[in-house]
Amino acid sequence: MGLLVPRALAAAEPRRGGTLNLVYTDTSAAETTDPIIQTGIAVSQPALNNTFDRLTYIVPGTWELQPRLATSWEASQDARRWTFKIRRGVRFSNGKPLTSRDVAWCLRRILDKRNGSSGYARLSAELDPEGISTPDAHTLVVKLKKPDAQFPAFMGAYQTGIYPNGTDPKKNPIGTGPFMIESWRPTIGWELVRNPNYWVKGLPYLDAVRAVYIADPNTKAQAVISGSADISDRIPFTQVRGIAGNRNLRLYTLPGAVFLDYVFDQSQPPFRDPRVFKAIKMAVNRRALMQAAILGNGTPTGDVPVLPRDPFYPPQRGVPGPEIMRARRMLAAAGYSSGVDVTMTVADVYPGLADMVAALKSVVAPAGIDITINKVPTDTFWGTHWLRRPSFAAYWNRRHPKELLELLYRSGAVWNEGKFHDAKLDALIDASGRTLSPAKQRGILRQALYRVAAESGVGISFHVNGIHVAKRRVHGVRVDPQIMLILEKAWIG
């Protein structure tokens, strides 16, 4: 799948059996075993995305699409009709054969607003349930309300995991992935066991994966370093140097796996005047934030939610440096000549996030911006504070730029953190879907990404390397920004 794997793993001979013990910090009591609802935090990503497979797989960075449960897909010239061929010979973990009706059922469940899918806004804007048809058991046809040249990429998003027709995965989590969910207690832990019907011959190697929630990130890392845990979700960057020199441990790393953001809600004061949040973004020293938060384990960016080396990054944006005096003048023009007070909410849901906010407070202070930090528990952040406070900090896994724009920035999107409503941006997103030409798509999406960088209330100073620690005996794990840990080829030596 083109993912990063430590070189030493290639020569080792896989062994079957055993239980992989995982520890994680990011959790929410609201997470369920339904893939259409998951929010993509650490409690759900490895569990659900190693249980429920999707039609396509998106290679991070290149955005190449590879077949999974679909073996091929084809578009009409206007990109409004998509035909997917469903893989033959696949069975769910309960033995039921996979058919196109199962895929149709899952899409219709996303389109039912009552189910609360995080993919609802994205999909309902361009598809009605009546637009889904299954001419035969291995053909799915989707007729969109508007063109979407990137629709197959959406079918690789984690909200599109497939389960059997007629089932509710909150009650009966049956998938086609390498594992099955044995137990599920998000703020305590979960367990997966091998799917005996997995469609990839000979996989998985492990008998089970057992995960335990640990609130403190350093305690979590220590559970792998000197305790009984085998592998962690992403670790504090203060731990990286010491682990790198420990022969009993290994690091699994995906460069630019995540970006941390600091958000200003344009529907709430004082950010209804865009000059306020533009001044704050203007005052930021991005490299100073990256060093303070993640000890340099990342890449600076100019408020763009893709890496600067990404083919979609707008070259005219560059990576701006701090402009303190200009920020002061902009605040004064907005009526804050004596400065502005901001309260920013944060939790330890990702390594370095709280450190980034502490550094942000320091670097913008010379511009007359006084940030009060409201630190809250990790298990209440997503359900109580995120998307509700006037200002907060969060993190996002790397996604295809079209999916990022649809989920985080389109007017009315369910995860539109900054409440950014911009008709010009919406028009650019739509225009990118009307052309099947990769070159034209790239040009349009660059314009859209420039617009969110310059005009939205979301600040992004750097992208973060996703770093996991594991015992040396852990092999075959692959790191991915959506799934976090791909475990089908994981084994214990």
Side-chain angles (χ1 to χ4, degrees):
M1 292 185 180
L3 302 180
L4 294 184
V5 184
R7 292 180 183 176
L9 304 189
E13 185 67 27
R15 296 181 183 177
R16 294 185 66 82
T19 297
L20 183 74
N21 292 292
L22 181 145
V23 285
Y24 64 94
T25 294
D26 190 10
T27 193
S28 169
E31 290 289 278
T32 77
T33 55
D34 188 342
I36 74 167
I37 298 174
Q38 65 170 314
T39 55
I41 61 179
V43 62
S44 61
Q45 275 182 294
L48 271 59
N49 296 314
N50 282 281
T51 298
F52 300 98
D53 214 337
R54 292 151 297 281
L55 294 193
T56 64
Y57 175 73
I58 310 166
V59 178
T62 66
W63 310 121
E64 172 195 359
L65 288 181
Q66 295 181 347
R68 288 298 293 174
L69 296 182
T71 56
S72 65
W73 46 92
E74 185 177 353
S76 59
Q77 281 192 328
D78 64 358
R80 294 183 64 167
R81 177 188 172 100
W82 286 92
T83 302
F84 294 85
K85 292 297 181 182
I86 306 304
R87 188 178 298 275
R88 296 175 183 270
V90 177
R91 292 183 178 272
F92 287 98
S93 58
N94 66 350
K96 178 187 179 294
L98 169 73
T99 72
S100 55
R101 291 185 64 199
D102 301 308
V103 184
W105 167 256
C106 296
L107 288 175
R108 290 188 177 113
R109 289 197 78 247
I110 294 174
L111 289 169
D112 186 340
K113 191 174 184 179
R114 294 171 297 180
N115 290 325
S117 174
S118 52
Y120 170 78
R122 163 76 169 91
L123 190 59
S124 63
E126 60 186 39
L127 179 64
D128 291 326
E130 296 76 20
I132 305 166
S133 61
T134 53
D136 60 56
H138 296 284
T139 304
L140 175 80
V141 177
V142 176
K143 296 179 181 178
L144 302 176
K145 295 184 286 186
K146 63 181 182 180
D148 184 359
Q150 297 86 21
F151 186 75
F154 174 76
M155 296 307 298
Y158 54 68
Q159 296 97 330
T160 62
I162 306 302
Y163 40 88
N165 179 36
T167 63
D168 181 350
K170 290 191 294 295
K171 301 175 182 177
N172 199 8
I174 300 168
T176 62
F179 293 95
M180 307 181 295
I181 295 174
E182 180 76 3
S183 66
W184 180 260
R185 296 182 295 172
T187 58
I188 299 173
W190 48 260
E191 184 173 2
L192 308 180
V193 295
R194 178 191 284 122
N195 174 7
N197 295 312
Y198 187 42
W199 59 273
V200 180
K201 188 176 180 180
L203 297 178
Y205 297 124
L206 294 168
D207 290 332
V209 181
R210 186 177 296 121
V212 174
Y213 169 64
I214 296 177
D216 179 70
N218 288 296
T219 303
K220 171 190 67 182
Q222 203 61 38
V224 179
I225 295 168
S226 59
S228 60
D230 296 310
I231 191 169
S232 75
D233 66 350
R234 292 146 185 168
I235 62 171
F237 295 99
T238 53
Q239 302 271 6
V240 171
R241 180 175 293 182
I243 290 169
N246 189 327
R247 294 184 178 182
N248 298 316
L249 303 169
R250 70 169 84 249
L251 295 172
Y252 286 90
T253 302
L254 179 63
V258 163
F259 62 85
L260 309 187
D261 65 358
Y262 37 95
V263 178
F264 310 105
D265 184 338
Q266 294 177 233
S267 70
Q268 300 190 55
F271 310 117
R272 289 173 183 159
D273 187 330
R275 291 175 293 187
V276 175
F277 63 75
K278 285 184 179 183
I280 299 173
K281 290 165 68 173
M282 193 178 296
V284 173
N285 184 321
R286 299 164 194 279
R287 293 188 182 277
L289 254 62
M290 187 175 77
Q291 184 60 36
I294 61 173
L295 303 180
N297 287 282
T299 305
T301 188
D303 303 310
V304 183
V306 299
L307 285 160
R309 62 175 176 268
D310 191 288
F312 294 96
Y313 195 94
Q316 70 272 35
R317 178 63 176 174
V319 180
E323 298 183 80
I324 297 297
M325 295 311 298
R326 187 180 169 204
R328 277 188 169 275
R329 290 194 296 269
M330 185 168 285
L331 281 178
Y336 295 94
S337 55
S338 299
V340 65
D341 296 328
V342 174
T343 297
M344 185 172 289
T345 299
V346 67
D348 281 321
V349 292
Y350 193 88
L353 191 63
D355 295 322
M356 179 191 72
V357 173
L360 183 67
K361 173 182 175 67
S362 175
V363 301
V364 301
I369 301 155
D370 185 9
I371 296 178
T372 298
I373 300 172
N374 174 37
K375 192 170 183 181
V376 299
T378 58
D379 58 352
T380 64
F381 174 75
W382 298 109
T384 305
H385 305 280
W386 178 62
L387 298 178
R388 292 172 173 81
R389 300 294 184 182
S391 179
F392 55 85
Y395 78 93
W396 290 94
N397 299 317
R398 186 166 53 170
R399 291 174 170 85
H400 188 287
K402 172 67 178 298
E403 299 308 311
L404 282 168
L405 290 165
E406 293 280 8
L407 286 171
L408 308 187
Y409 296 99
R410 183 187 279 278
S411 299
V414 66
W415 290 344
N416 187 327
E417 292 180 312
K419 307 299 188 295
F420 186 50
H421 296 278
D422 183 75
K424 291 182 180 179
L425 174 67
D426 297 343
L428 286 168
I429 297 173
D430 289 338
S432 74
R434 288 195 291 268
T435 175
L436 292 169
S437 163
K440 290 180 179 178
Q441 289 177 26
R442 186 165 55 250
I444 295 167
L445 289 173
R446 281 178 174 177
Q447 293 179 56
L449 290 168
Y450 179 82
R451 188 155 189 86
V452 302
E455 302 296 331
S456 82
V458 177
I460 307 169
S461 290
F462 51 87
H463 294 263
V464 186
N465 299 338
I467 305 177
H468 308 251
V469 61
K471 284 188 165 58
R472 200 75 188 173
R473 69 192 188 107
V474 175
H475 306 267
V477 174
R478 293 178 292 173
V479 184
D480 177 85
Q482 281 205 98
I483 302 171
M484 188 173 291
L485 298 171
I486 297 179
L487 301 173
E488 67 172 1
K489 294 183 179 179
W491 59 278
I492 299 172

